[in-house]
Amino acid sequence: MAGVGKGSGRPAKKKGPTRGTGGQGRSALQGRGATPPAHERHWFKDKKRSAAQGAPGSGPRTPDKQPARPSRGGKRDDAPEVIGGRNPVVEALRAEVPANVLYVAQRVESDDRVRDAIKMAANRGIALLEVSRDKLDRLTEGTVHQGLALQLPPYEYAHPEDLVERARDAAEVPLIIALDSVTDPRNLGAIARSATAFGAHGILVPARRSAGVTAGAWKTSAGTLAHLPVARAANLTSTLREYREQGLFVVGLDGAGSTDIGDVELATEPLVVVVGSEGKGLSRLVREACDVVARIPMNAAAESLNAGIAAGIALYEVARLRRRR
């Protein structure tokens, strides 16, 4: 029966709270002094050793460093690039594009392109590695590689001043192509081909929100990037102003320009031609940094041109006007 004491037959007394000693009794509390530093605590070494070993299955960890986190921004600037495909690889090797490793798939079906690639790589001292097709798929990020891939070292960008020095060393009138918000590497490669064909001394790209020299750019450039420097500007607008202070004129390409590119009188002067992105054109600050904003006359049915095509037309017109000088 509830509420009855065991073996006594009497109701159990409810035990109430007991009075404490306030720390003044036989078990009085004693101060322990200041907290010792970490290295003097008996558990510190065990904790440090446990952190070094890491959780099961996670591998070793360094106690003084944070564990590595996966990158959120894709490839880093200092990551190597890989060109996949038999024709692109052979063209890159013939153009003497800088390369570190030639990857060949195991049991690849050989043809003249594979044999030529292996021979050229061997002559240039490029390492030759035979790998599985799964490995090639990962290296080329799923693009068609046909059992052949070429790894390129990270591109070494020039300084913006180097482009002007290159023209002066050749005793030529400077001609530089600047890209404003052109984000497709294939456009950069196509512009490199046109710039090389029409005697430009280099390409200037912003450090952010712009295409860089990637495998796609190398592939489209057909090797011309091996001979044409690409410089990076921390701030495109500021670099254009610095060019103007050195005596260069800046001509921007935009459909809203007031002058046809073929009528620009500054074409024979030291020149920077700025190409904007398709659709958006030039940004406001870059437009304000230009001496002239020119347009490419075309049929009204075509609203805009691809950046690579626009750059090729502008460079041709500049070369034509310079020949007439």
Side-chain angles (χ1 to χ4, degrees), residues 157-160 204-208 231-240:
Y157 290 92
H159 189 276
L204 178 69
V205 299
R208 297 181 179 180
R232 261 186 171 172
N235 185 291
L236 180 59
T237 305
S238 298
T239 302
L240 293 176

Side-chain angles (χ1 to χ4, degrees), residues 251-271:
V251 175
L253 284 182
D254 197 286
S258 57
T259 306
D260 289 352
I261 185 64
D263 297 330
V264 174
E265 297 179 356
L266 298 175
T268 58
E269 302 294 332
L271 195 66

